[in-house]
Structures are given as C-alpha cells and as structure tokens.
Amino acid sequence: MLQIQENVSLKNFNTFGVDVNASFFAEINHENELVELFMDPQWQQTERLILGGGSNLLLVNNFEGLVIRVNIRGIEHRINKNEVFIEAGAGEVWNDLVNFCVARNYAGLENMSLIPGSVGAAPIQNIGAYGVELKDVFYSCKAFEIATGQFKTFTKEECKFGYRESVFKDELKGQYIIVSVKLQLSLTPSLNLSYGAIGQELADRHITQPTIKDVSQVVSHIRVAKLPDPSTIGNAGSFFKNPVITAGEFKPIEAKFPDIVHYHAGEGYVKLAAGWLIEQCGWKGKVVGHTGTWKNQALVLVNHGGATGEEVYNFSSQIIDSVYSKFGVTLQREVNIIG
Ligand code: FAD
Ligand code: EPU
C-alpha cells in the first residue's frame, strides 16, 4: 500500500548532504504504485521531484511539493548467441548492475564502473565515463507518462542522447518517470581502452591482455584516487559540463592559452576540460565558507560540512563568472538545480 509521508528530511537522500525538507515524500517499489498515486488528481497539480540516488542534484531550498523516490528493483538477463539483454528496475543501484554484469563477463558496462546513482537516472543525462556512454549499450527504457497514466517504451533514437543530454532533460523534462532500462551487452568483449589513464594503469599493473574485470578494477581505482567519496564529503560529481565550442571560437583562445586541455568533438567542434579552466582561475582545492572545489579535481564542488544549497549555488556562479572573465567561455551546470 502506497504511503505518503509529510515533512521529510532529504539530507540522506542527496549526496551533497544538503539538509532541506520535502513537504511530501512517496517511495515507489512497484510501477503500479505510480498508477495508484496519480489516480489522485491532487498529485497531478503538485510540484514533483523524481529522485533516484540524489547524486546529480543540488537542493537549494525546502522542496514544497512531492518527492517521488523510485525504488523499483529487479534484474533480468537473457542470452541470445553473443548478445546479452539485461533489463533492470529503475531503483537498482547502477554500480550493482555493473558488478552483476562484470561478474558474468557480460561486456559493455566496465568503463562505467562506480558511477553513483540509480539505473533509472542513467538515461536522463546519458551517463558516461572513461570513453563509454550509456547510449553505447542502451536498447530501450520503459517510462510512466504522468499526464496520461500510460507506460511507453522509448527506443535509443527516441531518447535523443547527446553528451550529458537526453530527451528527458530537454523537451520531455518532468513528464515521464523511468521504471526500467534495457541494455544490450556482449559475450565477446571489445574493450575500450582509449582513455589515457586506463592504459597507463594497466601498464603499471603489467596487464597486457586485460579482461573486463581488469578494466572495471582499473577504472574504479582511478575514480577513487580522483573523486571524493560522497559518504565522507558531500558532492555530486562534476558540477559543470565540459564546454563544447566551435573551432572558430577555439582559435583565439588557443592562441592566448597554448596549453589549454581540449579534445576533438566532431567536425568543427572542440571540447574543453572544464576542470582545467577552473584550475587556471585559481579555484582548485579552494575552501570558501562551507564549500569549495575538490583538491584532486577542480570540476567537483564539495560540501565541507554544513553548506546550504544556496551557498554551493552562489559559489558555482562565482566560478562561472571567473572562467568567463579569463577565457570568454560560459560553463553550464551539469548538476540539476532544484528550487
Ligand atoms: P538523481 O540525482 O536522483 O536524479 C538526477 C536527475 O534525474 C533528476 O533530474 C531526477 O529528477 C531525474 N531522475 C532520477 N531518477 C529518475 C527516474 N526514474 N525517472 C525520471 N527521472 C529521474 N555522472 C556521469 O555521467 N559520469 C560520471 O563519471 C559520474 N561520476 C560521479 C561521481 C560522483 C562522486 C558523483 C556523486 C556523481 C557522479 N556522476 C557521474 C553523476 C551521477 O552519478 C549520475 O548523474 C547518476 O545517473 C545520477 O543518478 P541518481 O539516481 O543519483 O539521480
Ligand atoms: N583537469 C585539470 N585540473 C583539474 C581537473 C581536470 O587540469 O582539476 C584536466 C586534466 O588535463 C585532465 C582533464 O582535465 O586530464 C580531464 O579530467 P578527467 O579525466 O578527470 O575528466 P573530466 O573531463 O574532468 C569527465 C566527466 C566525468 C567522468 C570523467 C572520466 C564531465 C562533466 N565529467 O570529467 O564525469 O568521470 O570525464 O570519463 O564530462 C560526472 O559527470 O559527474 C563525472 C564525474
């Protein structure tokens, strides 16, 4: 039976560890509970926040609405010759799914080891790390349409995935709740070792013929060294996206800053390393009030304890301003700002 709690603290439901309250809070363990919930027209009219692991959002104020925490579980897998189809409930922990697959030698997720959060949130920003994005293994997802109470299956094309982008963050924002995700993996791995640090770490370990388990371990090792663990220091990973600019815009910047870290991003486009831009502005490891940037990764904003969402938000605006003044590039927040 679906329960709706009132005045619930969200401190343990967001990895920034920001202490705000939600007016109403419902935990969904089965997709039918969404149908039940929205049969009551009251909830159609109420402001809503769909919540997974809370690892990609910043809560700026108390949430005067209904938080819907998706906790739908279950993993099913089906093998068809060399292909493996995995269907997982949106409330499964992403890294548990990765471990499930790596343990069975189902290849495709190993580079995305240790990304926090839920399976259901993975398509929202097309999560990615170390040369692989969700879209590379995505088959489809099933979602509940709030306005109609119907379930719809989205194909990969319909999701319109891009770098940290999907249809769910853009034109369909707030309209659907993802209840399950289906991935297409393989029994014959073609490893992606393109990210420099992976090759280096494998060489350091004298691994010449890596397995998917090796890649998963190496990626996890690199991540732990670089990123703060939210269970000890609040954060939501990269706070900004790496900016993508045109080759024309890049030229004068490169002329002024020949060391600028950048990558080819398709014909006529260049991606800049936001962490580098922020570091060059002198922000790396800086503590400002209760917040600051991480000492090993300037792109990660942290809560040193007791920071409010507003404090973190204002600090992020300061960073945007200083990067713009120095480089003429506007950083976009990657983290979802709530309230
Ligand atoms: P939440 O923070 O709960 O929600 C994120 C957004 O998705 C919100 O807008 C929410 O409303 C929406 N949402 C959540 N669940 C659903 C659902 N079922 N249906 C519809 N909408 C939903 N991300 C990367 O891509 N790559 C990384 O390498 C990476 N590293 C990280 C490292 C750290 C230390 C941290 C803290 C975060 C990192 N992230 C990374 C960000 C984060 O892990 C991902 O964005 C993740 O997918 C968020 O999952 P979540 O369940 O916590 O989402
Ligand atoms: N850099 C600096 N200073 C810093 C940080 C980075 O100079 O403080 C430069 C370095 O040259 C480094 C380069 O930036 O080589 C890239 O840094 P890193 O490999 O750490 O990756 P990133 O571009 O900062 C992106 C994702 C991460 C993902 C990693 C690995 C975005 C916004 N972030 O970070 O995703 O884990 O690549 O693939 O695309 C997240 O989304 O939350 C996240 C952590």
Side-chain angles (χ1 to χ4, degrees):
M1 179 67 191
L2 183 62
Q3 301 235 328
I4 295 176
Q5 301 170 58
E6 287 187 43
N7 225 1
V8 171
S9 167
L10 296 178
K11 188 162 194 271
N12 294 329
F13 293 103
N14 72 100
T15 59
F16 254 118
V18 166
D19 194 5
V20 295
N21 279 2
S23 307
F24 302 99
F25 185 97
E27 182 152 293
I28 301 295
N29 296 299
H30 193 277
E31 60 187 46
N32 290 342
E33 290 175 339
L34 289 171
V35 180
E36 183 189 337
L37 178 69
F38 286 104
M39 278 204 293
D40 181 342
Q42 176 193 350
W43 302 120
Q44 289 273 358
Q45 321 298 330
T46 308
E47 204 186 332
R48 297 172 295 263
L49 169 63
I50 315 305
L51 190 64
S55 65
N56 203 31
L57 39 86
L58 179 68
L59 298 159
V60 178
N61 293 306
N62 282 329
F63 188 74
E64 315 278 352
L66 172 66
V67 170
I68 300 171
R69 179 146 200 278
V70 181
N71 190 35
I72 301 168
R73 298 289 172 149
I75 301 179
E76 285 173 18
H77 50 136
R78 184 171 60 79
I79 295 176
N80 179 13
K81 297 190 184 129
N82 266 330
E83 290 172 331
V84 187
F85 289 92
I86 302 273
E87 191 158 9
E92 287 290 339
V93 172
W94 171 260
N95 195 47
D96 290 351
L97 180 65
V98 173
N99 290 337
F100 178 96
C101 295
V102 169
R104 288 164 179 76
N105 281 316
Y106 299 165
L109 302 186
E110 54 281 0
N111 293 51
M112 293 187 281
S113 297
L114 226 58
I115 298 180
S118 63
V119 165
I124 305 294
Q125 71 156 7
N126 177 29
I127 57 167
Y130 298 94
V132 177
E133 290 183 333
L134 181 79
K135 72 171 169 47
D136 301 326
V137 290
F138 184 91
Y139 188 77
S140 66
C141 67
K142 184 177 172 190
F144 174 80
E145 187 178 20
I146 295 170
T148 62
Q150 303 288 313
F151 290 93
K152 173 179 159 78
T153 297
F154 286 84
T155 63
K156 178 152 53 178
E157 288 65 36
E158 286 172 321
C159 291
K160 299 187 185 169
F161 291 126
Y163 165 59
R164 298 294 191 269
E165 283 300 337
S166 77
V167 73
F168 303 108
K169 257 186 102 172
D170 191 22
E171 66 222 60
L172 298 182
K173 192 175 164 72
Q175 295 182 33
Y176 284 87
I177 300 174
I178 295 176
V179 296
S180 65
V181 174
K182 191 168 179 179
L183 305 176
Q184 185 172 6
L185 306 182
S186 169
L187 290 177
T188 48
S190 63
L191 298 177
N192 183 330
L193 308 176
S194 59
Y195 216 90
I198 297 182
Q200 185 57 52
E201 186 60 33
L202 287 168
D204 290 352
R205 295 179 183 209
H206 308 293
I207 298 173
T208 49
Q209 299 215 303
T211 62
I212 65 168
K213 223 168 261 172
D214 293 326
V215 174
S216 175
Q217 281 172 1
V218 160
V219 165
S220 302
H221 175 85
I222 297 167
R223 294 183 65 98
V224 168
K226 211 179 319 191
L227 297 167
D229 175 357
S231 66
T232 54
I233 183 149
N235 76 93
S238 302
F239 200 89
F240 305 99
K241 290 191 203 180
N242 285 327
V244 177
I245 60 175
T246 64
E249 290 164 334
F250 180 62
K251 241 181 165 178
I253 303 176
E254 189 187 28
K256 207 166 159 198
F257 304 97
D259 297 338
I260 189 165
V261 179
H262 64 284
Y263 319 92
H264 182 65
E267 196 52 41
Y269 290 93
V270 178
K271 192 190 260 187
L272 306 179
W276 187 87
L277 299 174
I278 297 168
E279 181 172 353
Q280 295 302 307
C281 292
W283 289 114
K284 189 168 183 171
K286 273 262 162 78
V287 179
V288 179
H290 304 94
T291 180
T293 65
W294 184 235
K295 57 182 170 34
N296 300 335
Q297 226 306 354
L299 190 47
V300 178
L301 270 54
V302 296
N303 177 359
H304 286 294
T308 61
E310 196 179 5
E311 199 177 350
V312 177
Y313 184 83
N314 291 340
F315 178 53
S316 72
S317 299
Q318 245 179 298
I319 291 179
I320 293 173
D321 290 347
S322 70
V323 167
Y324 185 78
S325 308
K326 193 172 171 93
F327 298 101
V329 172
T330 305
L331 294 181
Q332 307 288 339
R333 293 180 181 88
E334 191 241 65
V335 165
N336 297 278
I337 308 297
I338 311 295

